[in-house]
Amino acid sequence: MGQSRWARMFHAAAQAPTFAGSIRAHRQARGILGNPALTVYDNPRSFLMCVYNRDRALCHRLDVTDAPRLDRCQPSCANVARTDHHADQLLQHAQVLERQAAFEALPGPLAERLARRADQLRELADRHELDRIHTQEPTA
Ligand code: SF4
């Protein structure tokens, strides 16, 4: 099927909205990936998991397909789910872009573009921090 080991396809995408948004940890990610009621794709290039629900997909509004267009992934899509690991990756990549943008020999417009992209990645990481689903703390 040409997918990574994370990419496991299941049926009943109608339940996907239950898990749309940020999630906290790998354990929760495994729970999603192990849920036979969900269709889940790993999208490492966009630092996220796609919990696929065709009706909510922003990557192929006009296509008649039962698979997401991971190469056209939109950060504002309701099918996006991120773990803390994804958020860490966003921040690491933002740092790389910021270092590149600070390189003196870089033309101004390119440096600005890299800096803007870094800002966008940081915003996505911040959004994850605000939106993530917290596991219930044990009560004393
Ligand atoms: S836009 Fe991204 S998250 Fe949304 S359905 Fe397409 S690939 Fe999945």
Side-chain angles (χ1 to χ4, degrees):
M1 207 179 239
Q3 299 172 358
S4 75
R5 65 187 172 85
W6 274 67
R8 301 170 192 169
M9 192 170 73
F10 300 101
H11 292 296
Q15 292 186 37
T18 306
F19 296 99
S22 301
I23 53 177
R24 184 179 172 129
H26 273 307
R27 186 168 49 81
Q28 290 168 304
R30 281 197 298 274
I32 290 173
L33 290 169
N35 184 340
L38 297 175
T39 304
V40 182
Y41 296 81
D42 186 31
N43 192 353
R45 286 187 60 190
S46 297
F47 311 108
L48 58 83
M49 288 188 305
C50 168
V51 185
Y52 187 61
N53 177 330
R54 186 176 63 181
D55 294 340
R56 299 161 63 114
L58 296 182
C59 52
H60 61 65
R61 281 269 179 234
L62 301 177
D63 296 348
V64 273
T65 173
D66 276 328
R69 288 293 309 266
L70 298 177
D71 58 323
R72 293 187 191 170
C73 190
Q74 304 294 317
S76 58
C77 181
N79 294 341
V80 167
R82 284 197 172 91
T83 64
D84 286 356
H85 180 65
H86 289 122
D88 288 344
Q89 288 180 316
L90 285 168
L91 294 174
Q92 286 170 17
H93 196 60
Q95 285 178 346
V96 169
L97 295 178
E98 285 162 351
R99 277 198 296 272
Q100 291 174 344
F103 187 56
E104 285 180 16
L106 213 59
L110 181 55
E112 287 166 20
R113 211 173 89 198
L114 291 172
R116 267 200 310 276
R117 179 66 181 144
D119 287 346
Q120 290 168 347
L121 296 181
R122 287 189 181 281
E123 282 174 24
L124 291 173
D126 288 348
R127 195 184 308 165
H128 168 80
E129 186 64 30
L130 290 172
D131 294 349
R132 72 187 191 181
I133 297 167
H134 293 269
T135 52
Q136 189 166 0
E137 299 293 332
T139 54

